Amino acid sequence: MRCRRRPDDAPRVGRRPARAIDGPAFGVPADIDSALRELDYGRWCGAGLDELPESDLAMWLTEPASAPHGGESVEDLIRRIGTWLAAQDDSYERVGVVTHPAVVRAATVCALDAPASSFRRVDVGPLDVVRLYGGPGRWTLRPNRFARRATR
């Protein structure tokens, strides 16, 4: 689902639509896997945070099974990403994924076998690198060894 863009810089839910990569990316072949799409924010897509019902937003932020926006709950996202991780085979092939922060949070929760309530405690910033290694049922999180340099 694509969100419509607004001209201002106010915080918006799901504000940036994914950009499809066709052909090689980073010098290697690239495929688009819909299982790794952004969380579906339903009716909230493109809305300003100040436009959302406060009680619905509070529920969504504290209850991983809730989806007051009519889209996907955090638990739904974690299940979807867990299914994708489980489908990865035990080969030694490396797979690089460029995706949304929510997807990275969900993959981290799955790898650590953590409860869905820990989803919002995983901090993922722009251009962060999260490394998982192992295989289905035995993922291990490896901290980023390449610290970002502060730019001024």
Side-chain angles (χ1 to χ4, degrees):
M1 169 182 224
R2 290 195 176 242
C3 298
R4 60 190 167 110
R5 291 185 63 119
R6 303 237 179 152
D8 60 32
D9 287 335
R12 304 250 173 230
V13 177
R15 108 181 238 173
R16 292 188 180 156
R19 292 190 179 133
I21 298 173
D22 293 325
F26 306 109
V28 297
D31 293 318
I32 297 171
D33 190 329
S34 65
L36 300 175
R37 69 190 176 278
E38 172 65 301
L39 187 140
D40 178 0
Y41 294 100
R43 294 182 301 277
W44 292 359
C45 190
L49 294 176
D50 60 341
E51 300 172 58
L52 305 180
E54 196 170 313
S55 61
D56 286 353
L57 182 59
M59 177 179 30
W60 186 67
L61 291 172
T62 58
E63 299 175 23
S66 70
H69 45 60
E72 196 172 25
S73 73
V74 167
E75 286 185 356
D76 292 338
L77 174 66
I78 291 169
R79 263 190 301 281
R80 173 165 47 93
I81 301 307
T83 299
W84 184 85
L85 284 169
Q88 303 309 299
D89 60 26
D90 277 339
S91 72
Y92 290 100
E93 178 181 353
R94 290 184 180 185
V95 175
V97 174
V98 178
T99 191
H100 305 273
V103 173
V104 176
R105 287 183 188 107
T108 302
V109 167
C110 290
L112 297 175
D113 199 22
S117 60
S118 64
F119 175 84
R120 299 202 189 283
R121 302 200 58 197
V122 178
D123 187 13
V124 179
L127 302 177
D128 276 351
V129 175
V130 173
R131 293 170 182 240
L132 301 178
Y133 69 95
R138 55 181 178 79
W139 292 105
T140 301
L141 178 67
R142 179 175 288 164
N144 183 8
R145 295 183 189 176
F146 307 103
R148 265 185 291 156
R149 293 182 183 176
T151 56
R152 292 185 195 235

